Amino acid sequence: MLKKLFGTSPVEAWVIKQVDDGLLHLCGQGTLESRDKRKAVLAALAQGQFQGAVRLAGGGLVLNARLFAALVPLDDLTLTDDGQAHWQGRLWRVSQVPQRCWSFEGRLVAQQGVNVGGLGLVSVEDVSGIRRRVDPDTAQPPGEVIFRADNELEDHPLVAEPRDERRPARPASRREWRDDNERL
């Protein structure tokens, strides 16, 4: 109650990783961590100028706000049951961003996949630029690879055959000492 009285209660927001044409890459909900008053944080959000930490729900991971395209107060974005969102007077498709992509600083692409609500769009890292730079001649495997058991290439069997030669028995009462100066 004191936090609400003094205006320092945390601000909860939707965390949007990337905004494409008609598509939001949504990380989920998070709490904005700031020493500023709630009213100042909401004003910074409205102007798109919030700087600080974002504690993401579900794992307690704290990331810098600069990693995200938008932070939207919970009341300003509404999710529908069919995987869409109402935001800024528009209807957007939503792609869920998995935790591994929250700190990714490159471009994301949406693919059909399985997410929390069932089938829907899931965001993944865009690696098309890397694929274009790969030389197709060097990308082919060098030849046929054959997997064998560890000892298959060995010349000798695992268990040695018994030899006819027997070592001379050592006398039990006599100790032998090694002479390090002696050459073998």
Side-chain angles (χ1 to χ4, degrees), residues 147-169:
F147 293 96
R148 298 184 177 120
D150 285 341
N151 59 356
E152 189 173 334
L153 298 178
E154 298 290 329
D155 293 336
H156 58 280
L158 285 177
V159 179
E161 294 180 19
R163 296 182 183 177
D164 290 336
E165 303 170 14
R166 304 220 179 225
R167 289 188 197 172

Side-chain angles (χ1 to χ4, degrees), residues 84-153:
Q84 296 186 354
H86 291 281
W87 179 51
Q88 296 180 338
R90 288 184 55 185
L91 188 63
W92 301 78
R93 290 183 307 142
V94 175
S95 179
Q96 183 179 2
V97 179
Q99 184 175 355
R100 74 168 192 272
C101 297
W102 290 352
S103 60
F104 181 67
E105 295 193 38
R107 187 177 181 304
L108 297 175
V109 292
Q111 295 179 347
Q112 190 69 26
V114 178
N115 56 23
V116 175
L119 288 177
L121 295 175
V122 177
S123 299
V124 295
E125 301 91 340
D126 183 11
V127 292
S128 61
I130 296 170
R131 286 190 181 130
R132 280 194 298 269
R133 291 187 300 222
V134 173
D135 183 12
D137 295 332
T138 61
Q140 300 300 322
E144 184 179 348
V145 178
I146 300 172
F147 293 96
R148 298 184 177 120
D150 285 341
N151 59 356
E152 189 173 334
L153 298 178

Side-chain angles (χ1 to χ4, degrees), residues 50-110:
F50 175 78
Q51 295 179 353
V54 179
R55 180 177 302 275
L56 290 156
L61 191 62
V62 179
L63 297 172
N64 194 315
R66 71 170 178 76
L67 291 171
F68 306 107
L71 300 169
V72 181
L74 291 182
D75 297 337
D76 293 352
L77 186 143
T78 307
L79 291 177
T80 64
D81 292 335
D82 60 349
Q84 296 186 354
H86 291 281
W87 179 51
Q88 296 180 338
R90 288 184 55 185
L91 188 63
W92 301 78
R93 290 183 307 142
V94 175
S95 179
Q96 183 179 2
V97 179
Q99 184 175 355
R100 74 168 192 272
C101 297
W102 290 352
S103 60
F104 181 67
E105 295 193 38
R107 187 177 181 304
L108 297 175
V109 292

Side-chain angles (χ1 to χ4, degrees), residues 20-71:
D20 292 342
D21 187 34
L23 177 69
L24 298 177
H25 295 268
L26 186 66
C27 295
Q29 293 181 5
T31 303
L32 308 181
E33 297 189 356
S34 175
R35 293 186 179 173
D36 296 337
K37 292 189 175 190
R38 181 178 177 85
K39 192 173 186 179
V41 172
L42 290 173
L45 278 179
Q47 296 171 358
Q49 297 178 351
F50 175 78
Q51 295 179 353
V54 179
R55 180 177 302 275
L56 290 156
L61 191 62
V62 179
L63 297 172
N64 194 315
R66 71 170 178 76
L67 291 171
F68 306 107
L71 300 169

